[in-house]
Every structure is written in C-alpha cells, then in structure tokens.
Amino acid sequence: LNHILEQILTPALVKNCHVTSFNKGLLVLETDNATKATWIRHSEQMLIQALKTYSIFQNIIKIQCKIRPQLYSAHQKSTKKLPLSAQSA
C-alpha cells in the first residue's frame, strides 16, 4: 500500500508519511508533522480519486491522517549525553 501511496504523494510527503491501515474504505495515514497532515486533509478528494485508479483502493471513502512526530524525530536526535560539572555532580 505504501508503494502505491509513494506514486501519488509529492517527494516531500513520501519521506515521512506511510499507511497505518486500510479497512472498510478508511485509509489511515501517519506523518511526522501538522503541516503535512494539513496538506493531506485539504487534498483528500484529489488523493481519493487518484487512489481509486488502483484496484486495491476501489472502495476508498475517506482518508484520516494522524501525526506521530516522535516516531520520525527519535531517529534524528542525538543520544549524546552532556558531561556534568563538578558542582552539578
């Protein structure tokens, strides 16, 4: 399902957006920030029309988009610990 989504979304969205489920016509997507989620919500009808051209998505009715920033930012953050000063320790 993600492979099909990659063909429809812009490159900026593809990087941090993926399918979490597709059941009873509801496609649930997950992305890393509100800006991308808002774009998906505003483009919902266009995306549904594009997805309906694929047999697996013929019964798609709605797209729901969830935001999960920690899933994507956890890999980007450094785990380097800062040393304590003598006064702090």
Side-chain angles (χ1 to χ4, degrees):
L1 299 177
N2 283 311
H3 180 69
I4 294 171
L5 190 66
E6 289 172 4
Q7 295 176 28
I8 295 170
L9 295 178
T10 63
L13 286 171
V14 167
K15 185 177 177 185
N16 293 343
C17 183
H18 67 274
V19 175
T20 58
S21 68
F22 181 57
N23 191 18
K24 297 181 183 177
L26 175 64
L27 176 66
V28 181
L29 303 177
E30 194 170 78
T31 188
D32 65 336
N33 69 48
T35 303
K36 292 174 186 170
T38 300
W39 186 91
I40 291 168
R41 288 178 187 125
H42 287 291
S43 304
E44 181 178 11
Q45 290 306 312
M46 178 199 64
L47 293 172
I48 287 173
Q49 287 178 339
L51 288 168
K52 279 189 174 190
T53 62
Y54 297 90
S55 60
I56 195 164
F57 287 115
Q58 282 183 336
N59 68 338
I60 188 169
I61 299 167
K62 183 162 179 59
I63 298 174
Q64 182 180 32
C65 193
K66 297 183 176 186
I67 303 165
R68 286 270 175 97
Q70 69 274 13
L71 292 180
Y72 301 99
S73 61
H75 298 289
Q76 297 170 357
K77 290 183 180 178
S78 174
T79 58
K80 185 178 176 182
K81 294 182 179 180
L82 298 175
L84 293 175
S85 67
Q87 291 176 339
S88 297

